[in-house]
Structure formats: C-alpha cells, structure tokens
Amino acid sequence: MRHYSNTQRVLVTGGAGFLGSHLCERLLAEGSDVLCVDNFYTGTKENVAHLLGNPRFELMRHDVTFPLYVEVDQIYNLACPAAPIHYQYDPVQTTKTSVHGAINMLGLAKRVKAKILQASTSEVYGDPQVHPQTEGYWGHVNPIGLRSCYDEGKRCAETLFFDYHRQHQLRIKVARIFNTYGPRMHPNDGRVVSNFVIQALKGEPITVYGEGRQTRSFCYVDDLVDGLMRLMNTGDEFTGPVNLGNPVEFTIRELAQKVIALTGSRSKIETRPLPSDDPRQRQPDISLAKAKLGWQPAMALDDGLRRTIEYFSAAR
Ligand code: NAD
Ligand code: UDP
C-alpha cells in the first residue's frame, strides 16, 4: 500500500526490551509511527505499557526467526537476548535469533526498500588484544565457547548486513554497542550494574567476579539511544560499523564501591569465581562516532547510577 504522509514508519525489533523500550519512546517523541515487535523472551509488556495509549504506537508479538511482512521506512534490529545468563540459557535459539533474525529483517528491508540498523555489540571484539577497540580491529573471539552463540551470531549478522549492502545495495547501519545501563534493565539478568544496585539496595553482599580488576565502560541508555538515532539519520554512504559506548573506563571493583557509596548501603564486597571467557578489558574508541555522528556520551556515571538506583528502588 502507498504511504501518503511524511511520517516515518519505524519498526523496532526487540522493542519491549531495555534499549528497545527507550528507543520506541524517543522515536514517538520525535514524531515517528512505531511498530514494536517482540517475542517477550527477555522483554516485557510492562516496559512499553506507558506507550500503548499512543495511537502512533503498535505492539506486535512476533519471533524474528520467522519472516515478517509489514510496510515500514526504517528498521532498528535489536531483537536478541543481551545478557550472558539469558543468551546462554538457549544458545541455539540465540544464534538463530541473530542469524535468521538478521536474514528475515534484511529480506524485509530489501522488499520495502527500508533503511536498516543492526544493534551489534562490543562482543564482536571478543577478549580484545587491542585497547581501546577501534572499528578496524577484527577481534579475538573464541568460536566454540559459552559466549560464542552470542558473539559469533552477532558477527555473522554483521557479515549478512554487509553482504546485503554489497549485493543488493541495501542502506545499512551497524552500531557496535558497548555496556549500557539504566532504568528498565532486567532485574535478574545478572549484568553487573543491575546486580550491584539490587544487591546494595537489599543490603546483600556485592558479588565481584574474580579480583574485580577487569574493566568496563558504562554508557547511560539515553546517550546510547541518541547515538543509534543519529546513526540511522546519517547519509546513505555511511554504513558503520561504529562503536557506541562510553570511553571512560572503570574496574568492576571501582563500580562496586561507587554503588555502595551512592546507595549508602552497608553491603560488603565479596569475590566469586570469574566466568569463562570474561573479557579482561573493554573500552570503546569513539573517534568515528564523534566525527561522523557528532556524538559522545553526556551522562557521568554517578548521575546515571543515581537514576538507575532510583528506578530499582521504586520497582522494589
Ligand atoms: P533485552 O534483552 O532487554 O532486549 C532484547 C529484546 O529482544 C527483548 O525484548 C526480547 O524479548 C527480544 N527478543 C529476543 N529474541 C527475540 C526473537 N527471536 N524475536 C523477537 N524478539 C526477541 O536487551 P537489550 O540490552 O535491550 O539489548 C538490545 C539489543 O542491543 C540486543 O540486540 C543486544 O545484543 C544489543 N546490545 C545491548 C547491549 C547492552 O549493554 N544493553 C550491549 C551490546 C549490544
Ligand atoms: N560482574 C561481577 N559481578 C556481578 C556481575 C558481573 O563482577 O555480579 C562482572 C563480570 O564478570 C564482567 C563485568 O562485571 O567482568 C561485566 O559483566 P556483565 O555481565 O554486566 O557484562 P559483560 O561486559 O561481561 O557482557
């Protein structure tokens, strides 16, 4: 059917998840029609319940490993469990979601001539031997380990995006997202920020894996969503991949201490064994995002943590 208005029709797969729900909110605020597709594997209807009354928002239960026939102008492909305990629960389904999901969404983009953005990940760099990671680094990934279903699934999705671009001239955008945190993180997904905040609020031990000397850099969700939207709106010649994340690096032990200080908790730090294939260091080089998107994170970790703590306090 012809689309007569100038309103952008935007499909967000994984739209009921943590990042997806914030993205749907922002797209609606900027005047787009939003179709949120999710199988509610790790996302929930509650995450988008506040959007259901908006006539420009539509929620559809669908699994992206099956084809989807809709008419849209832009696709943000976010569907995929993101936390290790979730993606390792059914690893075969995780690879299927990344690979078959990408094929289905790319096929849809080809049919309707939509622009399509892939939510890729810093995990494509594996346990990196180059620091900080630039987009030109090919990575150091174990193909047969516990994280491989996610890492290799996302790597294959990137391959598919670039082959659809070369072979079918699809307009693609690939974002490599680094650790992001904020309200609506899944409370039981085992990710470090939600774990530490919930443990501190309950006065339970803060579980630092290993010695806590491994580093991560944490990007607040609003900054990340802003980066994704800027990337989608770049000219067709820019495909990425582009790193989106916060270059300010902290050790996991420093994060634990910050969370204890900000919550005023009496929790004590306890160590636990380091999970297999846990990257020792991770920090994005965001020079490309700065140059091409005019983007860099604005939220300081302390401020973002305060908002996250507020969310989890209210949710308890
Ligand atoms: P999330 O688990 O909250 O969201 C993923 C969403 O995808 C959920 O709503 C889930 O129900 C849905 N989903 C999973 N499998 C599906 C399927 N087969 N069909 C339809 N929907 C499906 O995770 P998130 O943190 O919001 O991550 C969103 C995307 O961003 C993911 O692709 C993830 O790999 C990527 N990413 C996130 C981070 C981060 O730090 N949050 C970092 C790197 C990459
Ligand atoms: N981590 C930790 N305690 C926890 C949860 C995670 O020390 O309760 C560590 C984990 O080993 C990793 C880092 O925090 O080194 C980030 O873990 P997360 O699962 O959030 O994301 P990853 O970057 O590993 O995908």
Side-chain angles (χ1 to χ4, degrees):
M1 210 217 303
R2 282 272 307 272
H3 182 55
Y4 289 101
S5 90
N6 287 328
T7 309
Q8 290 283 329
R9 299 160 303 174
V10 185
L11 165 63
V12 180
T13 76
F18 162 51
L19 298 183
S21 61
H22 287 273
L23 176 62
C24 288
E25 218 170 79
R26 277 285 301 279
L27 288 164
L28 286 168
E30 305 216 342
S32 298
D33 276 355
V34 175
L35 171 59
C36 168
V37 160
D38 207 295
N39 69 349
F40 305 118
Y41 179 53
T42 51
T44 62
K45 286 182 196 160
E46 286 71 42
N47 282 343
V48 289
H50 61 297
L51 306 177
L52 289 172
N54 188 328
R56 286 188 287 104
F57 181 74
E58 198 178 341
L59 176 61
M60 180 194 254
R61 179 192 291 267
H62 176 78
D63 184 322
V64 295
T65 62
F66 297 97
L68 176 67
Y69 296 92
V70 292
E71 311 301 316
V72 290
D73 305 302
Q74 296 183 348
I75 303 169
Y76 287 86
N77 188 36
L78 272 59
C80 186
I85 56 163
H86 288 152
Y87 68 66
Q88 288 170 15
Y89 177 75
D90 187 348
V92 172
Q93 178 64 17
T94 299
T95 305
K96 274 191 191 166
T97 293
S98 276
V99 177
H100 293 192
I103 291 172
N104 288 328
M105 292 310 113
L106 286 161
L108 169 63
K110 183 174 164 224
R111 182 177 66 79
V112 300
K113 298 186 173 50
K115 219 193 291 190
I116 180 165
L117 181 150
Q118 168 69 356
S120 190
T121 167
S122 55
E123 291 282 318
V124 300
Y125 301 123
D127 189 358
Q129 292 174 315
V130 166
H131 198 72
Q133 293 81 55
T134 59
E135 292 83 355
Y137 178 51
W138 289 356
H140 179 231
V141 180
N142 176 358
I144 57 168
L146 296 180
R147 284 180 177 249
S148 311
C149 59
Y150 183 73
D151 301 7
E152 298 288 19
K154 289 284 189 177
R155 285 169 70 94
C156 184
E158 286 200 12
T159 307
L160 285 161
F161 267 67
F162 278 86
D163 281 331
Y164 267 79
H165 174 65
R166 284 184 287 255
Q167 202 174 329
H168 301 296
Q169 292 72 50
L170 232 65
R171 294 177 296 154
I172 62 155
K173 310 281 175 191
V174 174
R176 291 186 178 153
I177 303 171
F178 284 65
N179 296 61
T180 303
Y181 72 99
R184 298 195 209 119
M185 290 183 89
H186 197 294
N188 304 320
D189 71 2
R191 279 190 278 186
V192 68
V193 173
S194 42
N195 260 18
F196 286 2
V197 168
I198 291 167
Q199 289 165 345
L201 289 173
K202 289 184 174 165
E204 291 173 355
I206 309 285
T207 56
V208 167
Y209 299 162
E211 290 303 311
R213 281 198 291 261
Q214 68 273 38
T215 68
R216 293 293 187 274
S217 53
F218 301 98
C219 185
Y220 190 68
V221 61
D222 290 356
D223 282 330
L224 197 278
V225 164
D226 181 49
L228 291 178
M229 290 174 65
R230 282 176 190 242
L231 173 59
M232 182 61 105
N233 293 317
T234 50
D236 291 349
E237 71 295 342
F238 185 65
T239 56
V242 60
N243 291 338
L244 293 179
N246 197 324
V248 184
E249 194 180 11
F250 294 92
T251 68
I252 294 304
R253 192 169 279 274
E254 283 168 339
L255 177 73
Q257 286 156 348
K258 265 187 190 299
V259 170
I260 291 173
L262 290 169
T263 49
S265 170
R266 276 176 300 178
S267 294
K268 297 275 171 285
I269 293 177
E270 286 185 9
T271 57
R272 300 275 188 279
L274 194 64
S276 129
D277 289 344
D278 197 277
R280 279 166 313 216
Q281 249 188 335
R282 196 188 285 141
Q283 184 194 23
D285 179 320
I286 60 163
S287 315
L288 187 65
K290 279 184 181 162
K292 296 287 185 184
L293 317 179
W295 178 86
Q296 62 181 351
M299 181 75 77
L301 183 59
D302 282 30
D303 296 331
L305 282 177
R306 275 192 202 95
R307 294 184 187 203
T308 310
I309 290 165
E310 223 169 88
Y311 167 79
F312 280 111
S313 312
R316 283 198 316 145

